């Protein structure tokens, strides 16, 4: 097994791109990443996507994107793990390069969610949950998260307003990210008045339905220095899984899949949570941010919200999260988010995160969650030579 | 890179399993393969599937199948490449084991197609084609193949009845395969009278809409002998891609993706078509069988149908194909077919193919096609020690 590095990244602006098809979104991100890496071709392409069949009338994205990007003939396939599809695709690309089966690999995460009605998209997103025990009973995906948040508040004595710092932090950081969907700050007062979506989840607890694509180019670390001025080493790539259905879990308030994924990543990288300079977590809903902080070892059980209340999640805090806006405010084009997270960690480690730069960032972690915690992929990235 | 072997296979009977959910289908095949391999657990699981979101109300099959099979926590993900999803999943599993990122890997191909109406399923299958240039114009997937078959007949002077030997051979072989969907023979006369589906494609040119799952267990070849009485070496695993849309191809009657995939596989295995003892090809429609024979080097351009007419495709012929019934008569649960093909090659190489045994079978090839040739994965399998 050999070391793997990221030699190029690219992303499209997250938003409602009604004028742009899913293949054009993927192309934009992939071309930007290929330009950034300055490589003309790749050995294989992995496309992370959840809902192209349901929302864009198109499966078979691997070959489609390869051909559209001028890579006809190249090995290509689509990887799906619900909202965790992006990082799951990166994981497969990592396996190919680490194992020596490929040298230069492109990974694209893409999702086009705004072409159908909100109701259709909501129904499609429920495909991430257990179809027989959750979705078919009328439980939408936001409702799954609302159950978790309500239980969390009950168990640990929080009010819904205590979750405000997650939204405030994410929106503050997104204002400085040109690729983010939202460029306006929100306040704790605004959060308190926010429209209720699925009690206790309000609009400002929720990531938006949107379109976007992000891409990274991988190469063996030993040649990355020759190919890139600022290669970033993939210090760990790990997956943990859990049940899709909440009722099957050991404890619904513990994301066992996320904990497993993080522990495997820490072991591979030989680091602990204390070594991580920033953590791009899966804040699809603010309850997921809290549970992720706990599962990854940044907070004790029931203390994830406390980390935010104690002002530790800002770019200069103990655990910087959502440093470019997170799923909440950069946006959450589901199959793309896991790749956006990694692109943003690379920006931080390259020192190109502008106003949102985390000081002395050498080690960054990204964790992408499929469903309410059933497929969790964690990547730890590291400045090379650091 | 290390050698990889198949140490266990399993399959469910192909058919219309209205009483069985997609997770139960996958479980049946996976448990059979785990029993065959006599391993209690795996390092990772790759699930090949195309249409679970559209037809079963369930995405996120990786974690779902892992948990349902008692493998909670295990790395798992779904791989999609239209009708080529099964072999595409095997390819990813192969990469993981060959590269040393995993030791024991399970691959399951599964599809559940019969729960919705035929019209809904036909619409879903069109997601394998180009959504903007083919499906959205009303071109169904069978119509894509009908255009190819009509053009082939025109260019090379065949009648539609000349394709009969493909169906006759497949149905003859399926009668001896307990896992096959159809257990009745067909004749050339029956083929000539067969109901027209999409001129010139008749019912007996077409693989059926059906349900099924198949699984294989992979291990490093150097330990496979200790784990299995009859390990089968994966001598090659290769992917080639092409455009989704027919009009974008260099020549619609040449499957460039299949040729590329086969050439890469031959190069990896160090063999030529003459060395292959049997060829499980992608006979979703008889025209695909003909074009596959040509792309893989078993016939000159325009001579694929001639190979069948010359009686060379039987189990004792020069190029045995569809030896257990093929997609045509074993059935074509789309995301599962690529794994069924590999299970059948393993049966042949183990010498357990019963009445359909290909004499002295040492080297077998399976080729699984997504769409009308856009993603093509080829595996060459070999008796170990042979």
């Amino acid at each position: 097994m050999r070391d793997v590095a990221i030699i190029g990244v690219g992303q499209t602006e997250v938003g409602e791109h009604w004028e742009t098809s899913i293949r054009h979104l993927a192309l934009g991100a992939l071309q930007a990443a290929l330009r950034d890496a300055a490589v003309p071709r790749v050995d294989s392409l992995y496309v992370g996507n959840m809902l192209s069949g349901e929302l864009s009338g198109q499966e078979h994205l691997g070959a489609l994107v390869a051909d559209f990007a001028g890579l006809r003939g190249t090995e290509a396939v689509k990887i799906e793990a619900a909202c965790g599809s992006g990082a799951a695709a990166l994981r497969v690309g990592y396996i190919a390069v680490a194992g020596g089966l490929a040298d230069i690999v492109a990974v694209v995460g893409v999702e086009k969610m705004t072409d159908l009605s909100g109701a259709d998209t909501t129904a499609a997103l429920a495909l991430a949950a257990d179809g027989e025990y959750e979705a078919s009973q009328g439980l939408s995906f936001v409702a799954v998260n609302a159950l978790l948040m309500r239980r969390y508040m009950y168990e640990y004595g929080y009010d819904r307003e205590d979750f405000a710092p997650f939204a405030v932090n994410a929106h503050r950081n997104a204002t400085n990210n040109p690729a983010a969907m939202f460029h306006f700050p929100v306040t704790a007062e605004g959060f308190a008045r926010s429209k209720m979506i699925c009690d206790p989840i309000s609009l400002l607890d929720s990531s938006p339905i949107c379109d976007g694509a992000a891409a990274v180019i991988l190469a063996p670390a030993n040649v990355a220095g020759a190919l890139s001025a600022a290669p970033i080493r993939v210090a760990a790539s790990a997956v943990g899984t859990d049940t899709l259905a909440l009722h099957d879990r050991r404890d619904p308030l513990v994301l066992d899949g996320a904990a497993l994924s993080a522990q495997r990543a820490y072991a591979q990288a030989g680091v602990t949570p204390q070594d991580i300079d920033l953590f791009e977590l899966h804040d699809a809903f603010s309850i997921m941010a809290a549970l992720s902080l706990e599962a990854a070892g940044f907070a004790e059980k029931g203390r994830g919200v406390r980390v935010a209340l104690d002002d530790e999640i800002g770019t200069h805090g103990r655990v910087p999260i959502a440093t470019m806006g997170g799923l909440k405010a950069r946006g959450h084009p589901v199959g793309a988010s896991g790749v956006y997270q990694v692109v943003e960690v690379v920006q931080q480690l390259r020192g190109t995160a502008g106003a949102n730069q985390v000081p002395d960032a050498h080690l960054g972690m990204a964790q992408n969650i499929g469903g309410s915690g059933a497929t969790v992929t964690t990547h730890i990235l590291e400045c090379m030579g650091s």
Side-chain angles (χ1 to χ4, degrees), chain A:
Chain A
M1 211 177 106
R2 57 188 182 177
D3 264 5
V4 177
I6 294 173
I7 60 165
V9 296
Q11 57 183 338
T12 64
E13 193 178 332
V14 179
E16 296 184 345
H17 296 301
W18 299 322
E19 77 295 354
T20 309
S21 72
I22 192 166
R23 71 183 77 188
H24 281 92
L25 283 174
L27 178 70
L30 182 52
Q31 285 185 326
L34 289 167
R35 272 196 308 272
D36 186 40
V39 291
R41 44 162 289 287
V42 300
D43 295 324
S44 50
L45 168 69
Y46 297 101
V47 179
N49 171 267
M50 177 183 179
L51 294 171
S52 69
E54 292 83 357
L55 301 183
S56 302
Q58 183 71 69
E59 290 289 357
H60 209 172
L61 279 190
L64 184 82
V65 173
D67 173 51
F68 201 57
L71 302 170
R72 189 179 297 185
T74 302
E75 176 167 3
V77 77
K78 164 176 160 174
I79 311 291
E80 189 274 327
C83 330
S85 299
L90 178 58
R91 166 68 179 158
V92 175
Y94 171 86
I95 290 172
V97 179
L101 279 280
D103 288 325
I104 310 293
V105 166
V107 178
V108 182
V110 63
E111 206 76 61
K112 181 93 174 74
M113 305 174 73
T114 64
D115 283 351
L116 299 189
S117 71
D120 286 339
T121 307
T122 298
L125 286 168
L127 299 172
D130 192 306
E132 292 189 13
Y133 297 102
E134 295 179 330
S136 65
Q137 313 304 318
L139 201 66
S140 68
F141 194 62
V142 60
V144 169
N145 283 273
L147 290 173
L148 284 174
M149 183 168 167
R150 173 64 70 195
R151 185 73 192 175
Y152 189 93
M153 290 162 56
Y154 170 82
E155 288 283 345
Y156 306 125
Y158 291 106
D159 297 321
R160 81 163 194 84
E161 290 80 5
D162 292 327
F163 291 77
F166 290 116
V168 172
N169 174 67
H171 275 261
R172 182 179 54 230
N173 292 340
T175 56
N176 300 314
N177 177 5
M181 182 165 183
F182 298 132
H183 292 115
F184 56 89
V186 302
T187 63
E189 296 69 37
F191 182 90
R193 290 192 310 271
S194 179
K195 186 174 132 190
M196 195 53 66
I197 301 294
C198 184
D199 193 5
I201 289 184
S202 74
L203 190 64
L204 287 179
D205 285 297
S206 314
S207 55
I209 287 171
C210 51
D211 312 319
V216 306
I217 311 294
L218 303 174
N222 63 352
V223 302
L227 292 169
S228 168
I232 300 296
R233 179 171 170 263
V234 183
S237 173
V239 181
T241 60
D242 197 354
T243 71
L244 267 62
L246 289 184
H247 71 265
D248 281 331
R249 304 248 172 105
R250 186 174 61 83
D251 176 347
L253 292 184
V254 177
L255 299 181
D256 277 339
L260 203 52
S261 177
Q263 287 155 12
R264 288 172 178 167
Y266 292 140
Q268 187 188 349
V271 302
T272 70
Q274 288 69 43
D275 299 316
I276 302 293
D277 297 313
L278 71 142
F279 179 27
E280 290 302 334
L281 49 66
H282 193 88
D283 56 333
F285 299 98
S286 50
I287 179 64
M288 273 290 130
L291 295 176
S292 294
L293 283 167
E294 298 172 20
F298 293 99
E300 297 294 313
K301 190 166 187 292
R303 305 279 297 175
V305 168
R306 181 54 54 198
V307 173
L309 286 169
D310 288 350
D311 204 17
E312 296 188 307
I313 61 172
T315 51
H316 288 63
R318 179 177 67 90
V319 194
I321 67 172
T323 68
M324 302 304 280
L327 280 59
K328 171 68 198 80
R330 172 241 295 130
H332 182 27
V334 291
S337 290
V339 184
Y340 273 103
Q341 292 176 310
V342 168
V343 169
E344 292 159 358
V345 173
V346 168
Q347 290 177 315
Q348 290 286 357
L349 299 185
R350 283 180 177 177
T352 59
N356 294 354
Q357 184 65 49
V358 172
D360 301 322
H362 288 290
L363 206 60
M365 184 158 92
Q367 189 178 70
N368 188 202
I369 297 182
S372 56
T375 307
V376 188
T377 307
T378 306
H379 286 94
I380 298 178
L381 308 183
E382 180 179 33
C383 295
M384 284 183 72
S386 72

